[in-house]
Coordinates of all heavy atoms in Angstrom, one line a residue:
T5 N -40.8 -15.2 -34.2 CA -40.5 -16.5 -34.8 C -41.6 -17.5 -34.5 O -41.9 -17.7 -33.3 CB -39.1 -17.0 -34.4 OG1 -38.1 -16.0 -34.7 CG2 -38.8 -18.3 -35.0
T6 N -42.1 -18.2 -35.5 CA -43.1 -19.2 -35.3 C -42.7 -20.5 -36.0 O -42.3 -20.5 -37.1 CB -44.5 -18.7 -35.9 OG1 -44.9 -17.5 -35.3 CG2 -45.5 -19.8 -35.7
L7 N -42.8 -21.6 -35.2 CA -42.6 -22.9 -35.7 C -43.9 -23.5 -36.2 O -44.9 -23.5 -35.4 CB -41.9 -23.8 -34.6 CG -41.4 -25.2 -35.1 CD1 -40.2 -25.0 -36.0 CD2 -41.0 -26.0 -33.8
V8 N -44.0 -24.0 -37.5 CA -45.2 -24.6 -38.0 C -44.9 -26.0 -38.3 O -44.2 -26.4 -39.2 CB -45.6 -23.8 -39.3 CG1 -46.9 -24.5 -39.9 CG2 -45.8 -22.4 -39.1
T9 N -45.5 -26.9 -37.5 CA -45.2 -28.3 -37.6 C -46.4 -29.1 -38.1 O -47.5 -28.5 -38.3 CB -44.8 -28.9 -36.2 OG1 -45.9 -28.9 -35.3 CG2 -43.6 -28.1 -35.6
G10 N -46.3 -30.4 -38.2 CA -47.4 -31.2 -38.7 C -46.8 -32.4 -39.5 O -45.8 -32.3 -40.1
F11 N -47.5 -33.5 -39.4 CA -47.1 -34.7 -40.1 C -47.2 -34.6 -41.6 O -47.8 -33.7 -42.1 CB -47.9 -35.9 -39.5 CG -47.1 -37.2 -39.6 CD1 -46.0 -37.4 -38.7 CD2 -47.5 -38.2 -40.5 CE1 -45.3 -38.6 -38.8 CE2 -46.8 -39.4 -40.5 CZ -45.7 -39.6 -39.6
L12 N -46.7 -35.6 -42.3 CA -46.7 -35.6 -43.8 C -48.1 -35.4 -44.3 O -49.1 -36.1 -43.8 CB -46.2 -37.0 -44.3 CG -44.7 -37.3 -44.2 CD1 -44.4 -38.7 -44.7 CD2 -43.9 -36.2 -44.9
G13 N -48.2 -34.4 -45.2 CA -49.5 -34.2 -45.8 C -50.5 -33.4 -45.0 O -51.7 -33.3 -45.4
S14 N -50.1 -32.8 -43.9 CA -51.1 -32.1 -43.1 C -51.4 -30.7 -43.6 O -52.4 -30.1 -43.2 CB -50.6 -32.0 -41.6 OG -49.3 -31.3 -41.6
G15 N -50.6 -30.2 -44.6 CA -50.9 -28.9 -45.2 C -50.0 -27.8 -44.7 O -50.4 -26.6 -44.8
K16 N -48.8 -28.1 -44.3 CA -47.9 -27.0 -43.8 C -47.6 -26.0 -44.9 O -47.6 -24.8 -44.6 CB -46.6 -27.6 -43.2 CG -46.8 -28.5 -42.0 CD -45.5 -29.0 -41.4 CE -44.7 -29.9 -42.4 NZ -45.4 -31.1 -42.8
T17 N -47.1 -26.4 -46.0 CA -46.7 -25.5 -47.1 C -47.9 -24.6 -47.5 O -47.8 -23.4 -47.8 CB -46.1 -26.2 -48.3 OG1 -45.0 -27.0 -47.8 CG2 -45.6 -25.2 -49.3
T18 N -49.1 -25.3 -47.7 CA -50.3 -24.5 -48.1 C -50.6 -23.5 -47.0 O -51.0 -22.3 -47.4 CB -51.5 -25.5 -48.3 OG1 -51.1 -26.4 -49.3 CG2 -52.7 -24.7 -48.7
T19 N -50.5 -23.8 -45.8 CA -50.7 -22.9 -44.7 C -49.7 -21.7 -44.7 O -50.1 -20.6 -44.6 CB -50.6 -23.6 -43.3 OG1 -51.6 -24.6 -43.3 CG2 -50.8 -22.6 -42.2
L20 N -48.4 -22.0 -45.0 CA -47.5 -20.9 -45.1 C -47.8 -20.0 -46.2 O -47.7 -18.8 -46.1 CB -46.1 -21.5 -45.3 CG -45.4 -22.2 -44.1 CD1 -44.0 -22.7 -44.5 CD2 -45.3 -21.3 -42.9
L21 N -48.2 -20.5 -47.4 CA -48.6 -19.7 -48.5 C -49.7 -18.8 -48.1 O -49.8 -17.6 -48.5 CB -48.9 -20.5 -49.7 CG -47.7 -21.2 -50.4 CD1 -48.2 -22.2 -51.4 CD2 -46.8 -20.1 -51.1
H22 N -50.7 -19.3 -47.4 CA -51.9 -18.5 -47.0 C -51.4 -17.4 -46.0 O -51.9 -16.2 -46.1 CB -52.9 -19.4 -46.4 CG -54.1 -18.6 -45.9 ND1 -55.0 -18.0 -46.8 CD2 -54.6 -18.2 -44.7 CE1 -56.0 -17.4 -46.1 NE2 -55.7 -17.5 -44.8
L23 N -50.6 -17.8 -45.0 CA -50.1 -16.8 -44.1 C -49.3 -15.7 -44.8 O -49.4 -14.5 -44.5 CB -49.2 -17.4 -43.0 CG -49.9 -18.3 -42.0 CD1 -48.9 -19.1 -41.2 CD2 -50.8 -17.5 -41.1
L24 N -48.5 -16.1 -45.8 CA -47.7 -15.1 -46.5 C -48.6 -14.2 -47.4 O -48.2 -13.0 -47.6 CB -46.7 -15.8 -47.4 CG -45.5 -16.5 -46.7 CD1 -44.8 -17.5 -47.6 CD2 -44.5 -15.4 -46.3
S25 N -49.7 -14.6 -47.8 CA -50.6 -13.8 -48.5 C -51.2 -12.7 -47.7 O -51.8 -11.7 -48.2 CB -51.8 -14.6 -49.1 OG -52.7 -15.1 -48.1
Q26 N -51.1 -12.8 -46.3 CA -51.6 -11.8 -45.4 C -50.5 -10.9 -44.8 O -50.7 -10.1 -43.9 CB -52.3 -12.5 -44.2 CG -53.4 -13.4 -44.6 CD -54.0 -14.2 -43.5 OE1 -54.7 -13.7 -42.6 NE2 -53.6 -15.5 -43.4
K27 N -49.3 -11.1 -45.4 CA -48.1 -10.3 -44.9 C -48.3 -8.8 -45.1 O -48.6 -8.4 -46.2 CB -46.9 -10.7 -45.6 CG -45.6 -10.0 -45.1 CD -44.4 -10.5 -45.9 CE -44.3 -9.9 -47.3 NZ -44.0 -8.4 -47.2
P28 N -48.2 -8.0 -44.1 CA -48.3 -6.5 -44.3 C -47.2 -6.1 -45.2 O -46.0 -6.5 -45.2 CB -48.0 -6.0 -42.8 CG -48.4 -7.1 -41.9 CD -48.1 -8.4 -42.6
S29 N -47.5 -5.1 -46.1 CA -46.6 -4.7 -47.1 C -45.3 -4.1 -46.6 O -44.3 -4.2 -47.3 CB -47.3 -3.7 -48.1 OG -47.7 -2.6 -47.3
G30 N -45.3 -3.6 -45.4 CA -44.1 -2.9 -44.9 C -43.2 -3.8 -44.1 O -42.2 -3.4 -43.6
E31 N -43.6 -5.1 -44.0 CA -42.8 -6.0 -43.2 C -41.9 -6.9 -44.0 O -42.2 -7.3 -45.1 CB -43.7 -6.9 -42.3 CG -44.4 -6.1 -41.2 CD -45.1 -7.0 -40.2 OE1 -45.0 -8.3 -40.4 OE2 -45.8 -6.5 -39.3
K32 N -40.7 -7.3 -43.4 CA -39.8 -8.3 -44.1 C -40.0 -9.6 -43.4 O -39.9 -9.7 -42.2 CB -38.4 -7.8 -43.9 CG -38.0 -6.6 -44.7 CD -36.6 -6.2 -44.3 CE -35.6 -7.3 -44.5 NZ -34.2 -6.8 -44.2
W33 N -40.4 -10.6 -44.2 CA -40.6 -12.0 -43.6 C -39.6 -12.9 -44.2 O -39.1 -12.7 -45.3 CB -42.0 -12.5 -44.0 CG -43.1 -11.9 -43.2 CD1 -43.1 -10.6 -42.6 CD2 -44.4 -12.4 -42.9 NE1 -44.3 -10.4 -41.9 CE2 -45.1 -11.5 -42.1 CE3 -45.0 -13.6 -43.3 CZ2 -46.4 -11.7 -41.7 CZ3 -46.3 -13.9 -42.9 CH2 -47.0 -13.0 -42.1
A34 N -39.3 -14.0 -43.5 CA -38.4 -15.0 -44.0 C -38.9 -16.4 -43.6 O -39.7 -16.5 -42.7 CB -37.0 -14.8 -43.3
I35 N -38.5 -17.4 -44.4 CA -38.9 -18.7 -44.2 C -37.7 -19.6 -44.2 O -36.8 -19.6 -45.0 CB -39.8 -19.2 -45.3 CG1 -41.0 -18.2 -45.6 CG2 -40.4 -20.6 -45.0 CD1 -41.7 -18.5 -46.9
L36 N -37.7 -20.5 -43.2 CA -36.6 -21.5 -43.1 C -37.4 -22.9 -43.2 O -38.2 -23.2 -42.4 CB -35.9 -21.5 -41.8 CG -34.8 -22.5 -41.5 CD1 -33.7 -22.4 -42.6 CD2 -34.2 -22.3 -40.1
V37 N -37.1 -23.6 -44.3 CA -37.9 -24.8 -44.6 C -37.0 -26.0 -44.8 O -35.9 -25.9 -45.4 CB -38.8 -24.6 -45.9 CG1 -37.9 -24.3 -47.1 CG2 -39.7 -25.8 -46.2
N38 N -37.4 -27.1 -44.2 CA -36.7 -28.3 -44.3 C -37.6 -29.4 -44.8 O -38.8 -29.5 -44.4 CB -36.2 -28.7 -42.9 CG -35.5 -30.1 -42.9 OD1 -35.9 -30.9 -42.1 ND2 -34.6 -30.3 -43.7
E39 N -37.1 -30.2 -45.8 CA -37.9 -31.3 -46.3 C -37.2 -32.6 -46.1 O -36.0 -32.7 -46.0 CB -38.1 -31.1 -47.8 CG -39.0 -29.9 -48.1 CD -39.3 -29.9 -49.6 OE1 -40.0 -30.7 -50.2 OE2 -38.7 -28.9 -50.3
F40 N -38.0 -33.7 -46.0 CA -37.5 -35.0 -45.8 C -36.7 -35.4 -47.0 O -35.6 -36.1 -46.9 CB -38.6 -36.0 -45.5 CG -38.2 -37.4 -45.5 CD1 -37.4 -37.9 -44.4 CD2 -38.6 -38.3 -46.4 CE1 -37.0 -39.2 -44.3 CE2 -38.2 -39.7 -46.3 CZ -37.4 -40.1 -45.3
G41 N -37.2 -35.1 -48.2 CA -36.5 -35.5 -49.4 C -35.4 -34.5 -49.8 O -35.2 -33.5 -49.2
E42 N -34.7 -34.9 -50.9 CA -33.5 -34.1 -51.3 C -33.8 -33.1 -52.4 O -33.0 -32.2 -52.7 CB -32.5 -35.1 -52.0 CG -31.9 -36.1 -51.0 CD -30.8 -35.6 -50.2 OE1 -30.3 -34.5 -50.5 OE2 -30.3 -36.3 -49.2
I43 N -35.0 -33.1 -53.0 CA -35.3 -32.3 -54.2 C -35.6 -30.8 -53.9 O -35.3 -29.9 -54.6 CB -36.4 -33.0 -55.0 CG1 -35.9 -34.3 -55.6 CG2 -36.8 -32.0 -56.1 CD1 -34.7 -34.1 -56.5
G44 N -36.4 -30.6 -52.8 CA -36.7 -29.2 -52.4 C -38.0 -28.7 -53.1 O -38.0 -27.6 -53.7
V45 N -39.1 -29.5 -53.1 CA -40.3 -29.1 -53.8 C -40.9 -27.9 -53.0 O -41.4 -27.0 -53.6 CB -41.3 -30.2 -53.9 CG1 -42.6 -29.8 -54.5 CG2 -40.6 -31.3 -54.8
D46 N -41.0 -28.0 -51.7 CA -41.6 -26.9 -50.9 C -40.8 -25.6 -51.1 O -41.5 -24.6 -51.2 CB -41.5 -27.3 -49.4 CG -42.5 -28.4 -49.0 OD1 -43.3 -28.7 -49.9 OD2 -42.4 -28.8 -47.9
G47 N -39.5 -25.7 -51.3 CA -38.8 -24.5 -51.6 C -39.2 -23.8 -52.9 O -39.3 -22.6 -53.0
A48 N -39.5 -24.7 -53.9 CA -39.9 -24.2 -55.2 C -41.3 -23.6 -55.1 O -41.6 -22.5 -55.7 CB -40.0 -25.3 -56.2
L49 N -42.2 -24.1 -54.2 CA -43.5 -23.6 -54.0 C -43.5 -22.2 -53.3 O -44.3 -21.4 -53.6 CB -44.3 -24.6 -53.2 CG -44.8 -25.8 -53.9 CD1 -45.4 -26.8 -52.9 CD2 -45.9 -25.5 -54.9
L50 N -42.5 -22.1 -52.4 CA -42.4 -20.9 -51.6 C -41.5 -19.8 -52.2 O -41.4 -18.7 -51.7 CB -41.9 -21.2 -50.2 CG -42.9 -22.1 -49.4 CD1 -42.2 -22.7 -48.2 CD2 -44.1 -21.3 -49.0
A51 N -40.8 -20.1 -53.3 CA -39.8 -19.3 -53.9 C -40.2 -17.9 -54.2 O -39.5 -16.9 -54.1 CB -39.1 -20.0 -55.1
D52 N -41.4 -17.7 -54.7 CA -41.9 -16.4 -55.2 C -43.0 -15.9 -54.3 O -44.0 -15.2 -54.7 CB -42.4 -16.5 -56.6 CG -41.4 -17.0 -57.6 OD1 -40.2 -16.5 -57.5 OD2 -41.6 -17.9 -58.4
S53 N -42.9 -16.2 -53.0 CA -43.9 -15.8 -52.0 C -43.8 -14.4 -51.4 O -44.6 -14.0 -50.6 CB -44.0 -16.9 -50.9 OG -42.7 -16.9 -50.2
G54 N -42.7 -13.7 -51.8 CA -42.5 -12.4 -51.2 C -41.7 -12.4 -49.9 O -41.6 -11.4 -49.3
A55 N -41.2 -13.6 -49.5 CA -40.4 -13.7 -48.3 C -39.0 -14.2 -48.7 O -38.8 -14.9 -49.7 CB -41.0 -14.6 -47.3
T56 N -38.0 -13.9 -47.9 CA -36.7 -14.5 -48.0 C -36.7 -15.9 -47.7 O -37.3 -16.3 -46.6 CB -35.7 -13.7 -47.1 OG1 -35.6 -12.4 -47.5 CG2 -34.3 -14.3 -47.3
L57 N -36.2 -16.8 -48.5 CA -36.3 -18.2 -48.3 C -34.9 -18.8 -48.0 O -33.9 -18.6 -48.8 CB -36.9 -18.9 -49.6 CG -36.9 -20.4 -49.6 CD1 -37.9 -20.9 -48.5 CD2 -37.3 -20.9 -51.0
K58 N -34.8 -19.6 -47.0 CA -33.6 -20.5 -46.8 C -34.1 -21.9 -46.7 O -34.9 -22.3 -45.9 CB -33.0 -20.1 -45.4 CG -31.7 -20.8 -45.1 CD -30.6 -20.4 -46.1 CE -29.2 -21.1 -45.8 NZ -28.2 -20.8 -46.8
E59 N -33.5 -22.7 -47.6 CA -34.0 -24.1 -47.7 C -32.9 -25.1 -47.3 O -31.7 -24.9 -47.6 CB -34.4 -24.3 -49.2 CG -35.0 -25.7 -49.5 CD -35.3 -25.8 -50.9 OE1 -34.8 -25.0 -51.7 OE2 -35.9 -26.8 -51.3
I60 N -33.3 -26.1 -46.5 CA -32.4 -27.2 -46.1 C -33.1 -28.5 -46.5 O -33.7 -29.2 -45.8 CB -32.1 -27.2 -44.6 CG1 -31.6 -25.8 -44.2 CG2 -31.1 -28.2 -44.2 CD1 -31.5 -25.7 -42.7
P61 N -32.9 -28.9 -47.8 CA -33.5 -30.2 -48.2 C -32.7 -31.4 -47.8 O -31.5 -31.3 -47.5 CB -33.5 -30.0 -49.8 CG -32.3 -29.2 -50.1 CD -32.2 -28.2 -48.9
G62 N -33.3 -32.5 -47.8 CA -32.6 -33.8 -47.5 C -32.0 -33.9 -46.2 O -31.0 -34.7 -46.0
G63 N -32.6 -33.3 -45.2 CA -32.1 -33.5 -43.8 C -33.2 -33.4 -42.8 O -34.3 -33.6 -43.1
C64 N -32.8 -33.1 -41.6 CA -33.8 -33.0 -40.5 C -33.4 -31.8 -39.6 O -32.3 -31.8 -39.0 CB -33.9 -34.3 -39.7 SG -35.0 -34.2 -38.4
L65 N -34.2 -30.8 -39.6 CA -33.9 -29.6 -38.7 C -33.8 -30.0 -37.3 O -33.1 -29.3 -36.5 CB -35.0 -28.6 -38.9 CG -35.0 -27.7 -40.1 CD1 -36.1 -26.7 -40.0 CD2 -33.7 -27.1 -40.4
C66 N -34.4 -31.1 -36.8 CA -34.4 -31.4 -35.4 C -33.0 -32.0 -35.1 O -32.7 -32.2 -33.9 CB -35.5 -32.3 -35.0 SG -35.8 -33.7 -36.1
C67 N -32.2 -32.4 -36.1 CA -30.9 -32.9 -35.8 C -29.9 -31.7 -35.7 O -29.1 -31.4 -36.5 CB -30.4 -33.8 -36.9 SG -31.4 -35.3 -37.1

Side-chain angles (χ1 to χ4, degrees):
T5 302
T6 300
L7 190 65
V8 181
T9 69
F11 208 69
L12 288 177
S14 59
K16 295 186 296 298
T17 304
T18 301
T19 298
L20 288 181
L21 287 168
H22 180 72
L23 289 169
L24 288 162
S25 72
Q26 304 172 75
K27 181 181 78 68
S29 58
E31 290 189 4
K32 289 173 57 179
W33 286 24
I35 308 167
L36 181 61
V37 60
N38 174 232
E39 292 184 70
F40 175 67
E42 297 276 350
I43 293 298
V45 176
D46 287 352
L49 288 168
L50 295 165
D52 299 317
S53 61
T56 301
L57 175 68
K58 185 66 178 178
E59 186 183 11
I60 306 175
C64 179
L65 282 186
C66 48
C67 297

